[in-house]
Amino acid sequence: MGHITSKDAYKNLEERINWFTQGAPPSDSLYKILQILYTETEAKRVALLPVRPFTAKKTAKIWNISEGEAETFLEHLCEKALLVDSFYKGVRQFVMPPPMAGFIEFALMRTRGDIDQKYLSELYYQYMNVEEDFVKDLFFATETHLGRVYVQEPILTNDNTIHILDYERASYIIEEATHIGLGVCYCRHKMLHAGHPCEINAPLDVCLTFGNVARSLAENGQHARLIDKKEAMDVLERSYAANLVQIGENVREAPAFICNCCGCCCEALQAARKFSPMQPVATTNYIPKISKECAGCGKCEKVCPVLAISMQKNKEGKAVAQVDHEVCLGCGVCVRSCPQNAIEFLRREVQVITPVNSTHRFVLQAIEKGTLQNLIFDNQAFANHRAMAAVLGVILKLPPLKQMMASKQFKSIYLDKLLSDKRAKRL
């Protein structure tokens, strides 16, 4: 009976994780991963938690324990980076992060002895790099992407800098951040333990988190180290020098992270290589153009993280670089590596649209995946008017087609009434 109870605990947790717009497809590997990250008691309790932020008081009612005991247990989960805490009007709240960017990565963002990180890394490799269902769901299940690429600012010309927007600059994100955390790159840490060390020997300590996520990870369990803006800019410079690609949360306002990624370890860049020409992340608004001065040295081909550049013979029989614009991320690594300055960076003709904030992104992804109701009604069916207002506010600003999709999913008289009122005002 105990064995059945244990299995049910992790099965319920798996189902709870899949209430997120971004889920985790079931498999034996996932079951083993959850067993490493969660004790049976933790799995049972976390499976009961709401999707939206919750307090210790609410948790105590769900778990049928005292508020003090609930707070202590929640703090323990924060120390394991299985929850993230925040403060709203002086009240401490907690939320379960999604699998990625979330608790899967947090487990390897520092060296720790409470879990077997080598065994966990091997399971991660099996689950993500071999089985692939998780990666396909993560990067290709929705039109709106989890991450977006930042252009490498040092390679931009004066003409380029006139047109680049603030939110397209990694440096601007750093300048605006209230907190900045620095941790170990989960991808390279995982691949190192799994027996596939980074092919370009890229630095490990370049994972940047921002805002409340950075504060929570630093204060609870030291999964990240709080740093100042100068050190964060140094991290960017080291990453530029190592030909790494900057991939951050796909939002304009207050992104939670910027990863500095290599093509051999990063799941997103590996997906770009494996499932080309499908794009796993949103590209920058730039595209490289090879000039006639190309000497055919092939350096740009070697450094391209997604294999978007190949050497092709021109009419004269000379090998020159050629860019596949369907695959290119517009990161700028190739421009930096060209010894002839033969690569020009141009603004794309069709501009990439970036969601305003995390709520905007969540709603778009939920509509596209058919899970919008999970953002508004969780498995405890507790109403939260502030959360509902935020979600509905985003829906009301969407194009009519997206609103129609949202209405069909939500099946709410209230939402239909709001949308019909909005349409009536247009007429």
Side-chain angles (χ1 to χ4, degrees):
M1 180 65 71
H3 175 69
I4 296 174
T5 303
S6 175
K7 191 168 185 179
D8 287 345
Y10 291 103
K11 180 64 178 175
N12 291 338
L13 175 60
E14 172 199 292
E15 292 175 356
R16 165 62 184 80
I17 290 169
N18 281 292
W19 270 71
F20 287 114
T21 300
Q22 172 214 128
S27 84
D28 289 341
S29 299
L30 177 63
Y31 181 78
K32 293 174 183 176
I33 288 168
L34 296 180
Q35 283 185 307
I36 292 177
L37 298 179
Y38 298 81
T39 66
E40 182 181 337
T41 299
E42 290 166 354
K44 285 180 181 178
R45 289 186 171 182
V46 171
L48 299 173
L49 294 175
V51 172
R52 299 183 305 275
F54 48 87
T55 61
K57 184 176 181 180
K58 177 183 284 189
T59 306
K61 292 180 180 179
I62 296 172
W63 290 345
N64 194 27
I65 58 177
S66 70
E67 187 174 340
E69 186 181 352
E71 179 98 26
T72 300
F73 201 89
L74 291 171
E75 286 180 347
H76 172 67
L77 291 172
C78 284
E79 288 173 358
K80 294 181 69 174
L82 299 175
L83 295 181
V84 174
D85 69 345
S86 62
F87 294 88
Y88 179 72
K89 294 185 177 179
V91 178
R92 191 181 189 186
Q93 296 184 326
F94 303 86
V95 71
M96 181 183 179
M100 193 176 285
F103 68 84
I104 282 180
E105 287 158 307
F106 297 162
L108 292 179
M109 278 178 56
R110 68 176 175 90
T111 301
R112 50 194 289 195
D114 59 323
I115 59 175
D116 186 339
Q117 289 187 308
K118 185 179 189 305
Y119 179 50
L120 179 62
S121 297
E122 291 168 349
L123 287 173
Y124 279 170
Y125 185 83
Q126 173 67 28
Y127 186 53
M128 285 174 264
N129 299 77
V130 177
E131 296 174 16
E132 293 182 349
D133 286 346
F134 175 79
V135 166
K136 290 177 182 177
D137 185 73
L138 177 67
F139 295 123
F140 303 116
T142 58
E143 178 186 348
T144 302
H145 295 297
L146 164 67
R148 67 183 176 98
V149 180
Y150 290 83
V151 64
Q152 289 205 357
E153 295 171 52
I155 57 93
L156 295 178
T157 64
N158 289 335
D159 289 340
N160 293 144
T161 55
I162 292 173
H163 300 288
I164 190 170
L165 302 173
D166 283 342
Y167 69 83
E168 295 178 301
R169 302 172 182 266
S171 61
Y172 176 80
I173 304 305
I174 288 173
E175 285 300 324
E176 292 295 301
T178 54
H179 298 87
I180 306 172
L182 178 63
V184 171
C185 170
Y186 141 82
C187 294
R188 286 189 283 283
H189 195 189
K190 175 199 78 174
M191 295 296 273
L192 180 64
H193 280 306
H196 305 278
C198 180
E199 295 171 4
I200 63 172
N201 197 29
L204 277 170
D205 57 333
V206 291
C207 182
L208 294 171
T209 49
F210 302 103
N212 183 71
V213 173
R215 180 207 55 77
S216 183
L217 290 174
E219 292 181 358
N220 300 294
Q222 297 181 329
H223 297 273
R225 174 174 64 86
L226 290 180
I227 61 175
D228 59 21
K229 294 172 183 179
K230 182 181 181 302
E231 186 171 355
M233 288 302 299
D234 289 341
V235 170
L236 269 188
E237 291 299 328
R238 286 193 290 118
S239 299
Y240 291 155
N243 289 325
L244 301 181
V245 180
Q246 289 66 55
I247 300 178
E249 184 183 5
N250 187 26
V251 294
R252 284 180 254 165
E253 299 175 357
F257 66 89
I258 291 181
C259 301
N260 291 287
C261 307
C262 57
C264 52
C265 298
C266 170
E267 268 109 25
L269 299 184
Q270 280 286 300
R273 292 182 176 194
K274 194 171 293 186
F275 303 109
S276 173
M278 292 196 299
Q279 291 284 11
V281 291
T283 69
T284 73
N285 277 309
Y286 293 89
I287 201 80
K289 179 183 177 182
I290 309 296
S291 73
K292 293 180 180 179
E293 284 70 36
C294 176
C297 68
K299 288 186 177 179
C300 57
E301 180 185 32
K302 292 177 182 177
V303 299
C304 179
V306 292
L307 313 179
I309 300 178
S310 59
M311 303 307 294
Q312 304 288 336
K313 289 186 177 181
N314 61 14
K315 294 178 181 178
E316 291 76 34
K318 176 187 173 185
V320 295
Q322 184 171 308
V323 180
D324 186 337
H325 288 182
E326 282 192 82
V327 178
C328 179
L329 300 174
C331 63
V333 169
C334 58
V335 180
R336 185 185 185 94
S337 69
C338 180
Q340 303 295 323
N341 295 321
I343 306 178
E344 185 181 3
F345 231 34
L346 304 177
R347 195 82 175 173
R348 291 179 189 259
E349 291 183 6
V350 178
Q351 297 299 285
V352 179
I353 304 301
T354 303
V356 177
N357 51 34
S358 295
T359 301
H360 188 190
R361 178 173 65 81
F362 291 153
V363 170
L364 286 172
Q365 290 180 312
I367 290 172
E368 292 159 5
K369 203 170 184 182
T371 59
L372 179 65
Q373 65 278 4
N374 294 351
L375 288 180
I376 302 173
F377 301 113
D378 57 50
N379 54 341
Q380 295 299 320
F382 286 131
N384 182 314
H385 296 296
R386 186 167 63 89
M388 183 179 288
V391 172
L392 294 180
V394 170
I395 293 172
L396 292 173
K397 295 176 183 177
L398 293 176
L401 181 59
K402 293 284 189 183
Q403 288 183 354
M404 189 183 305
M405 292 170 65
S407 180
K408 286 180 179 179
Q409 289 176 36
F410 193 22
K411 300 295 184 184
S412 165
I413 295 174
Y414 176 50
L415 177 56
D416 285 341
K417 180 69 168 62
L418 281 174
L419 295 178
S420 63
D421 287 348
K422 184 180 179 184
R423 283 191 289 268
K425 289 178 182 179
R426 288 175 178 168
L427 301 176

